[in-house]
Amino acid sequence: MTARCGAIERLKLDDAWAWLDACPDVADSEPVALGQARGRVLAAPLPFPGDLPDRDLALDDGYAVRAQDTQGASPYNPLFLSLVPKEAALAAGNASACHAGEALPPGADAVLPLEAGEAAATSLELCAEVASGTGIGRRGQTGRGGDIALAAGQCLAAAQIALAASLGVARLTLRRRPTVALRIAGAKPPAAEALAAALAALIVRDGGLPRAGPGRALAEAGADDLVLLVGRSGWGEDDAAATDIAAAGGRLDHHGLALTPGGSAGLGWLGSTPLLLLPGEPLAALVTYELLAGRLLRRLAGRPSAWPGPVRRLTLTRKIASPIGLSEFVPVLCQGETAAPLPLAPPGGLVSLARADGFLIVPAEREGYPPGAAVDVVGRPCDSLAQDGS
Amino acid sequence: MTARCGAIERLKLDDAWAWLDACPDVADSEPVALGQARGRVLAAPLPFPGDLPDRDLALDDGYAVRAQDTQGASPYNPLFLSLVPKEAALAAGNASACHAGEALPPGADAVLPLEAGEAAATSLELCAEVASGTGIGRRGQTGRGGDIALAAGQCLAAAQIALAASLGVARLTLRRRPTVALRIAGAKPPAAEALAAALAALIVRDGGLPRAGPGRALAEAGADDLVLLVGRSGWGEDDAAATDIAAAGGRLDHHGLALTPGGSAGLGWLGSTPLLLLPGEPLAALVTYELLAGRLLRRLAGRPSAWPGPVRRLTLTRKIASPIGLSEFVPVLCQGETAAPLPLAPPGGLVSLARADGFLIVPAEREGYPPGAAVDVVGRPCDSLAQDGS
């Protein structure tokens, strides 16, 4: 395929996003044990199985009391209550030991913390007063049975897993993880392995299940939920990707994006499976993964398709010059409220990407930004880590 | 151990942090193949092995030209150059095909993009002009041999791995992952497994290697880099943790923190290994992990000990009342520039934690904050996910 003056009609980034956003959903769900649920997405809301708490209960270890009996107690003015075994109802002037999570005896309306009392055989010395309701959880105050505890689409991290366990849930109905056929063409080991490892890490971050398949025929990748074909994407003599796609029975709806880096990316199909063609040059591969593949994959995995993490409005320290007609990915270094653009031309671009802590996109219709411009910066690009702290 | 009025001397959170920050480092390093380096930390700086790029080269596929020969070319005013094979030096009026990454022939000072030219057998029709330097990378412009490409302490995600591969590096010298002995006492399955899974996810997030060891004697955990003992941490009759630690030859420097939730946490040693005693109540276990264990573990793993992710100054929507003398962990829901505090009393606290997208700490010396107060909110608590997008 020979390039001709103006022969490549480049798809605008917004139109590429519209194409990605129109790809059909992957809506299957499956039961998963709680211990394996980390990073997965709830397919259906998780309701409270009953009222939470299911009765008035002690929130702390201590002593069930009637609050009015404690009025005036302090280290300088200790008061005494009769310490009685746990009984059907707590009479005035009495106290009984209780543990966190235990039901309160009727009559009790507060829990005196363990350290605010000193127990003898049949009496309790108080060195603090407590107000009615102190240390007590009321039945249903957190949720009524049937209320939604975790919404469908919730991504499950440590806190959500601990919550589900506390509700007595052992298995959850989760979205199936979309499988991603990842094929690298044209790169030699160890660069090919490293690029595959880097992209696989991003696929995992976005909720997908990477399936490297150098031994499989490309046509078989149509059984996966998404195909990423990386390398040989251009229009030179050794750029066989478009031919390979056609030979496997697939097609490209678009080949060539109005984007830099990553202009040789393509969007197409292998059967009914969306296929993204990404450039093999590592920088362009990572950038197009972030701008195209990640967006689609997150949605297929049941997550919001937007870039994860907050967008910050920062002030540019330096001018950005950008070709009109192309959307440009620009990595930046953020410091306080400012963003300094980093050069992205290869081979240095990969250095910039590795040092960046944010990026912005210059829209196709702009020639760049003057210094001092307010720009929207999104988080660290190509960060495959759980909040990495670097 | 019976609690007495005022008998528990609670350690302030700042002093607990000072104790954690004084624990000795784990400075071992090990060689690791690039494909296994994700999430690990560089033990030594990675230098550029030579100048990058190592010569003047083409950044794009296209045609090596002398820029002055292209002046005035446009779709409406095409110019013609002689298309010659790649040769020792490019003469005026000539152009030769080049691929991205190839050295430029001497004399050439720009690369005309593939699509801006139409090649015939011996001539090239140009429909655009290029400036000198366009499409060219100069030798050493990104880095000189020996310059630092990635600094020691850098945490390796997709972009850093791709960069190392592009520098021809197959193995890296990385910090050893600190091992964390994780022991849950007092909880029954499946809650114990779920709590272990939740804590293990946070340990992995912070760069540690969790080692659950219900079958091992506690004393053996001293061979690990950090011991987390979860549960039975209080001062009630069934709270055996302090006794167990002493029986295993360990000691607690401090037992009881001026912190809520998590007041029964403790700090100590098993031999020369730091040991953190965390409450078994899931909410308090997760909060004390975040406030104490995560801070120490991140440093042991070679990462910054501070909470990962940005701190945002937000406006409180509602009053927070907090007991004076205790640091209080408060989860919040962030919306725009505001933060709404969520209730944290168990059992509802776990629901709040699972729904929160940030948290703040009310210092011990404050009784809380009025509505409208400016507070520093840090990111989603107990989020064990790679940027989870939820």
Side-chain angles (χ1 to χ4, degrees):
Chain A
M1 197 167 162
T2 304
R4 298 174 60 86
C5 280
I8 305 169
E9 206 171 303
R10 294 185 180 272
L11 190 68
K12 290 201 166 142
L13 186 56
D14 282 340
D15 293 330
W17 286 345
W19 186 94
L20 294 167
D21 294 349
C23 289
D25 231 333
V26 174
D28 317 348
S29 62
E30 58 187 359
V32 176
L34 201 51
Q36 270 70 55
R38 186 181 91 85
R40 303 288 297 270
V41 174
L42 268 186
L46 181 70
F48 290 107
D51 291 348
L52 186 72
D54 60 359
R55 53 199 163 163
D56 294 354
L57 47 69
L59 298 179
D60 295 308
D61 291 355
Y63 304 94
V65 295
R66 291 169 176 255
Q68 65 188 44
D69 292 346
T70 70
Q71 278 179 16
S74 79
Y76 309 101
N77 179 38
L79 297 183
F80 291 83
L81 296 176
S82 298
L83 188 58
V84 299
K86 192 166 297 176
E87 53 192 4
L90 192 77
N94 286 357
S96 64
C98 63
H99 287 96
E102 280 183 0
L104 285 185
D109 65 347
V111 173
L112 184 83
L114 207 58
E115 66 202 78
E118 185 173 347
T122 60
S123 72
L124 177 70
E125 180 182 352
L126 324 180
C127 56
E129 62 179 24
V130 286
S132 177
T134 299
I136 289 182
R138 298 288 184 195
R139 174 174 183 160
Q141 83 175 31
T142 297
R144 292 284 174 188
D147 285 357
I148 290 176
L150 290 173
Q154 170 80 54
C155 201
L156 302 168
Q160 293 78 28
I161 289 170
L163 170 60
S166 78
L167 298 178
V169 173
R171 295 177 89 72
L172 292 166
T173 301
L174 304 181
R175 300 276 297 237
R176 182 169 66 73
R177 290 175 75 187
T179 60
V180 181
L182 175 62
R183 301 173 66 95
I184 313 273
K188 295 194 187 72
E193 279 84 351
L195 184 56
L199 289 170
L202 294 173
I203 289 168
V204 169
R205 178 199 70 186
D206 288 329
L209 199 60
R211 298 179 15 149
R216 290 194 303 166
L218 176 57
E220 291 175 41
D224 289 311
D225 298 305
L226 175 60
V227 180
L228 297 187
L229 202 55
V230 184
R232 302 286 191 235
S233 61
W235 294 270
E237 283 167 20
D238 59 352
D239 285 317
T243 314
D244 291 348
I245 291 166
R251 71 173 199 274
L252 286 174
D253 287 354
H254 306 282
H255 187 189
L257 260 64
L259 172 67
T260 179
S264 66
L267 309 173
W269 301 91
L270 202 56
S272 59
T273 299
L275 176 151
L276 306 192
L277 174 61
L278 308 184
E281 193 278 308
L283 175 74
L286 292 176
V287 168
T288 51
Y289 178 90
E290 288 297 51
L291 296 189
L292 303 172
R295 178 183 181 98
L296 174 55
L297 179 55
R298 284 188 293 272
R299 182 170 61 80
L300 296 182
R303 306 183 183 192
S305 62
W307 180 266
V311 176
R312 285 178 292 166
R313 175 144 290 202
L314 301 177
T315 303
L316 266 191
T317 58
R318 282 196 302 276
K319 168 185 173 180
I320 297 176
S322 179
I324 204 158
L326 293 183
S327 296
E328 184 165 8
F329 173 97
V330 179
V332 299
L333 272 183
C334 304
Q335 193 165 28
E337 298 301 308
T338 66
L342 296 170
L344 203 56
L350 215 43
V351 177
S352 296
L353 197 67
R355 293 175 177 170
D357 46 21
F359 69 90
L360 59 90
I361 297 171
V362 183
E365 65 272 17
R366 288 196 66 112
E367 283 188 281
Y369 292 103
V375 289
D376 287 332
V377 171
V378 289
R380 192 181 293 275
C382 301
D383 183 0
S384 52
L385 303 177
Q387 309 178 322
D388 71 73
S390 60
Chain B
M1 198 168 165
T2 306
R4 299 174 59 87
C5 282
I8 304 170
E9 205 172 302
R10 294 185 180 272
L11 189 68
K12 292 201 163 139
L13 187 56
D14 282 341
D15 294 330
W17 285 345
W19 187 95
L20 293 167
D21 293 349
C23 288
D25 230 332
V26 174
D28 317 349
S29 63
E30 59 187 0
V32 175
L34 201 51
Q36 270 69 54
R38 185 180 91 86
R40 303 287 299 269
V41 174
L42 266 187
L46 180 70
F48 289 107
D51 291 347
L52 186 73
D54 61 358
R55 56 204 159 158
D56 294 354
L57 48 70
L59 299 179
D60 294 308
D61 290 355
Y63 303 94
V65 295
R66 291 169 177 254
Q68 67 188 42
D69 292 346
T70 70
Q71 279 179 19
S74 77
Y76 309 100
N77 179 38
L79 298 183
F80 291 84
L81 295 176
S82 299
L83 188 58
V84 299
K86 193 166 295 176
E87 52 192 4
L90 192 76
N94 286 358
S96 64
C98 64
H99 286 96
E102 280 183 1
L104 285 184
D109 65 348
V111 174
L112 183 84
L114 208 56
E115 68 202 77
E118 187 174 344
T122 60
S123 72
L124 177 70
E125 180 183 353
L126 322 181
C127 57
E129 63 180 23
V130 287
S132 179
T134 300
I136 290 182
R138 298 288 184 195
R139 174 176 182 159
Q141 82 176 29
T142 297
R144 291 285 174 187
D147 285 357
I148 291 176
L150 289 173
Q154 170 82 53
C155 201
L156 302 168
Q160 292 78 30
I161 289 170
L163 171 60
S166 80
L167 298 178
V169 172
R171 296 178 87 73
L172 293 166
T173 302
L174 304 181
R175 299 276 298 237
R176 182 169 64 74
R177 290 175 75 187
T179 60
V180 181
L182 175 62
R183 300 173 65 95
I184 314 273
K188 295 194 186 73
E193 279 84 352
L195 184 56
L199 289 170
L202 295 173
I203 289 168
V204 169
R205 178 199 70 186
D206 288 329
L209 199 59
R211 296 175 21 145
R216 291 193 303 164
L218 177 57
E220 290 175 40
D224 288 312
D225 297 305
L226 174 60
V227 180
L228 297 187
L229 203 55
V230 184
R232 303 287 191 232
S233 62
W235 295 270
E237 284 166 17
D238 60 351
D239 285 318
T243 315
D244 290 349
I245 291 166
R251 70 175 198 274
L252 285 175
D253 287 355
H254 306 283
H255 187 189
L257 260 64
L259 172 67
T260 181
S264 66
L267 308 174
W269 300 91
L270 201 58
S272 59
T273 300
L275 176 151
L276 305 192
L277 174 60
L278 309 184
E281 194 279 309
L283 175 74
L286 292 177
V287 168
T288 50
Y289 177 91
E290 289 297 49
L291 296 188
L292 304 172
R295 180 185 179 98
L296 173 55
L297 178 56
R298 284 189 291 272
R299 182 170 60 80
L300 296 182
R303 305 183 184 193
S305 61
W307 179 267
V311 176
R312 283 178 293 165
R313 176 145 289 203
L314 302 178
T315 303
L316 267 191
T317 58
R318 282 196 301 277
K319 168 185 173 177
I320 296 176
S322 179
I324 203 158
L326 294 183
S327 296
E328 183 165 8
F329 173 96
V330 179
V332 299
L333 272 185
C334 305
Q335 192 164 28
E337 298 301 308
T338 67
L342 296 170
L344 203 54
L350 215 43
V351 177
S352 295
L353 198 66
R355 293 175 178 171
D357 46 22
F359 70 89
L360 58 91
I361 297 171
V362 183
E365 65 273 15
R366 289 197 65 114
E367 285 188 277
Y369 292 102
V375 289
D376 287 332
V377 172
V378 290
R380 192 180 294 274
C382 300
D383 183 0
S384 53
L385 302 177
Q387 308 178 323
D388 71 72
S390 60

